[in-house]
């Protein structure tokens, strides 16, 4: 029976990966499988947004609808928690593969642009809703199952370098869209870049060749508290033939320019701005806090990226080194903005990436880098804000949006081509 079930799973995944765009849409409330389900499972703020029909249009517009439609029946084929774990990881891997193949134009499907990161986000979220509805007949840790699925669908389960001789190895991370309560159609160019870069081999400015691996991280404090950054970067920082030679985290930053951040700060201080689930960090500019689960480390960590070479790229957006931070000086109580980096003994309030998760991903990954591979270059790159959405809220994309997204992600690649080792 076990080989037969594996064959059925394999056939289902092959069908999902090869199915063209379907004409019908599927809302978050629909479930056509025979699974025993909860009608209204507990949901988080992210999943609540699935009630907007435009979210399903992102999935269908990218030809990913079968992932959502077939997932419940696949869950019902499992007989125990171990089988369920293997299944959700397989589906997560398949979704990540489909999204990266589509971004790199190896998988046709749908009317949305290939570079668009939003279909992966909304498809993944719709599948987690299906997972929350599922009621198996055996005991199950649903939170652990969702984490395993999400990790796989974000590239964490297969981010190993090939180890091919003569190739430099660059490891990057991007982020999901965020700020969706203000504009549900928002994309994140760092996520688009991650999808386009994963597995790519490029020629660097000095003529050497490099392989890039990427992961895509959630905009959720809880996932950071539970170690998703360390799970993503740890294997690539452990010394060996398939470890990274350089790491950089990437996120969306400021209007009209790229910035390489000179300093990552230890603090969270972004409130009242929430994450994608509506959760606050607990820290403000006046009262910064340290993230739960964060290991010991300096208040500020400097970048060791080759910033001079990387900021040589100035088109179509300027690329600058940002040395600004906010600190509470040694012996002081009030935050002070500094244009030239932190002073000795100060407490971090805001790093180059702010006091939000874009700063924290830089701090966590580089704190880990200092533990595991201190000579390896690492830092953070901010992209320009992606603009150009059509004025009509029912239109998911438009020429200005697509042109701006392409310009940003192309320049990310150009900046990475200029890294030196």
């Amino acid at each position: 029976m076990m080989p037969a079930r594996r064959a059925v799973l394999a056939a289902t995944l092959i069908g999902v990966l090869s199915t063209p765009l379907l004409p019908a849409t599927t809302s978050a409330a629909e479930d056509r499988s025979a699974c025993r389900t909860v009608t209204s499972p507990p949901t988080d703020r992210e999943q609540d947004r699935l009630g907007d029909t435009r979210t399903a249009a992102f999935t269908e517009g990218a030809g990913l609808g079968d992932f959502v439609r077939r997932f419940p029946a696949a869950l019902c084929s499992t007989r125990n928690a171990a089988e369920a774990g293997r299944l959700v990881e397989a589906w997560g891997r398949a979704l990540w593969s489909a999204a990266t193949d589509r971004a790199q134009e190896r998988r046709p499907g749908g009317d949305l642009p290939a570079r668009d990161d939003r279909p992966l986000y909304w498809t993944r979220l719709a599948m987690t809703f299906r997972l929350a509805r599922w009621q198996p007949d055996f005991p199950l840790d649903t939170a652990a199952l969702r984490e395993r699925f999400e990790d796989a669908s974000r590239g964490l389960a297969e981010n190993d370098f090939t180890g091919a001789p003569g190739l430099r190895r660059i490891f990057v991370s991007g982020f999901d869209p965020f700020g969706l309560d203000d504009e549900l159609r928002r994309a994140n160019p760092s996520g688009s870049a991650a999808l386009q870069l994963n597995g790519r081999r490029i020629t660097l400015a000095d003529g050497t060749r490099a392989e890039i691996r990427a992961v895509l991280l959630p905009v959720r404090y809880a996932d950071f508290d539970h170690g998703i950054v360390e799970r993503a970067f740890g294997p690539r920082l452990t010394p060996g033939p398939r470890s990274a030679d350089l790491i950089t985290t990437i996120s969306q930053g400021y209007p009209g320019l790229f910035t390489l951040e000179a300093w990552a700060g230890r603090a969270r201080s972004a409130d009242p701005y929430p994450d994608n689930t509506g959760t606050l960090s607990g820290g403000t500019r006046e009262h910064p806090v340290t993230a739960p689960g964060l290991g010991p480390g300096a208040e500020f960590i400097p970048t060791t990226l080759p910033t001079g070479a990387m900021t040589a790229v100035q088109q179509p957006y300027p690329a600058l080194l940002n040395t600004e931070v906010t600190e509470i000086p040694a012996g002081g109580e009030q935050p002070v903005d500094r244009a030239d980096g932190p002073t000795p003994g100060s407490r971090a309030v805001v790093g180059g990436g702010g006091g939000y998760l874009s700063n924290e991903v830089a701090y966590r990954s580089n704190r880990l880098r200092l533990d595991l591979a201190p000579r390896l270059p690492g830092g953070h790159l901010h992209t320009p804000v992606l603009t150009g959405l059509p004025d009509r809220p029912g239109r998911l994309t438009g020429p200005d949006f697509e042109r701006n997204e392409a310009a940003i992600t192309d320049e990310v690649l150009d900046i990475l081509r200029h890294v030196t080792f």
Side-chain angles (χ1 to χ4, degrees):
M1 290 296 292
M2 184 66 72
R5 280 195 300 277
R6 287 177 178 169
V8 169
L9 172 60
T12 301
L13 288 174
I14 291 171
V16 167
L17 289 170
S18 61
T19 300
L21 175 67
L22 299 176
T25 60
T26 303
S27 74
E30 293 176 335
D31 187 346
R32 300 174 183 176
S33 79
C35 288
R36 190 158 63 91
T37 61
V38 178
T39 303
S40 301
T43 56
D44 58 35
R45 184 69 191 94
E46 274 189 300
Q47 292 169 330
D48 289 344
R49 297 188 188 99
L50 294 167
D52 190 312
T53 58
R54 291 175 296 176
T55 66
F58 282 113
T59 293
E60 297 297 339
L64 299 176
D66 265 10
F67 278 95
V68 179
R69 280 185 284 273
R70 297 185 184 183
F71 189 46
L75 290 171
C76 282
S77 71
T78 62
R79 299 189 304 177
N80 54 55
E83 284 187 14
R86 290 191 295 269
L87 182 135
V88 299
E89 181 172 324
W91 279 73
R93 286 174 181 259
L95 179 58
W96 174 251
S97 178
T100 55
D101 283 350
R102 187 174 186 278
Q104 297 175 35
E105 301 187 71
R106 294 190 298 269
R107 173 191 168 95
D111 299 324
L112 291 173
R115 297 172 184 256
D116 202 328
D117 64 305
R118 298 171 295 176
L120 171 59
Y121 174 77
W122 292 111
T123 303
R124 181 197 303 115
L125 202 58
M127 292 173 75
T128 67
F129 180 82
R130 268 55 176 189
L131 181 59
R133 293 190 65 188
W134 181 42
Q135 279 193 313
D137 294 328
F138 48 83
L140 192 68
D141 185 339
T142 305
L145 204 64
R146 176 172 175 174
E147 181 179 283
R148 188 167 177 180
F149 167 74
E150 289 229 15
D151 278 8
S153 68
R154 296 178 177 280
L156 274 69
E158 50 183 40
N159 61 22
D160 201 4
F161 291 101
T162 60
L167 282 177
R168 296 290 192 176
R169 297 177 294 275
I170 300 172
F171 191 69
V172 305
S173 66
F175 271 111
D176 286 345
F178 63 99
L180 301 171
D181 286 331
D182 295 330
E183 173 53 83
L184 184 110
R185 299 173 297 165
R186 278 185 177 151
N188 193 323
S190 73
S192 176
L195 292 173
Q196 292 174 62
L197 292 171
N198 186 58
R200 291 275 296 272
R201 294 186 178 186
I202 63 173
T203 300
L204 303 179
D206 65 2
T208 59
R209 295 280 289 168
E211 177 184 357
I212 305 173
R213 286 287 172 181
V215 293
L216 224 169
L217 300 173
V219 184
R220 297 191 297 243
Y221 285 114
D223 293 74
F224 276 56
D225 295 346
H226 296 152
I228 191 169
V229 176
E230 290 77 9
R231 292 199 306 276
F233 281 84
R236 304 286 70 82
L237 292 170
T238 302
R242 297 191 178 184
S243 62
D245 292 315
L246 178 146
I247 64 168
T248 184
T249 51
I250 307 172
S251 66
Q252 182 175 233
Y254 309 102
L257 77 161
F258 280 88
T259 55
L260 283 158
E261 306 305 338
W263 299 93
R266 186 173 174 82
R268 288 178 177 174
S269 58
D271 294 355
Y273 193 82
D275 70 4
N276 273 349
T277 66
T279 303
L280 297 176
S281 72
T284 65
R285 176 183 167 89
E286 290 72 28
H287 299 286
V289 299
T290 299
L294 190 60
E299 287 294 305
F300 290 96
I301 297 176
T303 185
T304 53
L305 291 173
T307 56
M310 295 170 77
T311 54
V313 179
Q314 292 292 312
Q315 294 294 331
Y317 300 94
L320 309 175
L321 177 64
N322 177 28
T323 59
E324 296 178 357
V325 301
T326 302
E327 65 176 14
I328 297 176
E333 296 182 355
Q334 298 300 317
V336 175
D337 297 328
R338 295 192 59 87
D340 55 352
T343 57
S346 67
R347 183 182 177 193
V349 177
V350 172
Y356 195 51
L357 291 171
S358 56
N359 170 78
E360 188 170 326
V361 71
Y363 186 91
R364 282 182 178 271
S365 60
N366 283 281
R367 191 207 65 80
L368 188 64
R369 175 184 62 80
L370 291 173
D371 283 348
L372 300 177
R375 296 183 180 179
L376 184 149
H380 186 78
L381 173 67
H382 261 133
T383 76
V385 174
L386 176 55
T387 60
L389 283 169
D391 291 336
R392 291 171 52 191
R395 292 184 60 193
L396 303 184
T397 189
D400 290 343
F401 174 81
E402 294 176 22
R403 183 166 48 251
N404 294 341
E405 183 175 50
I408 293 171
T409 55
D410 284 347
E411 190 165 343
V412 170
L413 179 57
D414 200 14
I415 289 171
L416 291 179
R417 284 197 178 105
H418 281 74
V419 301
T420 54
F421 295 89

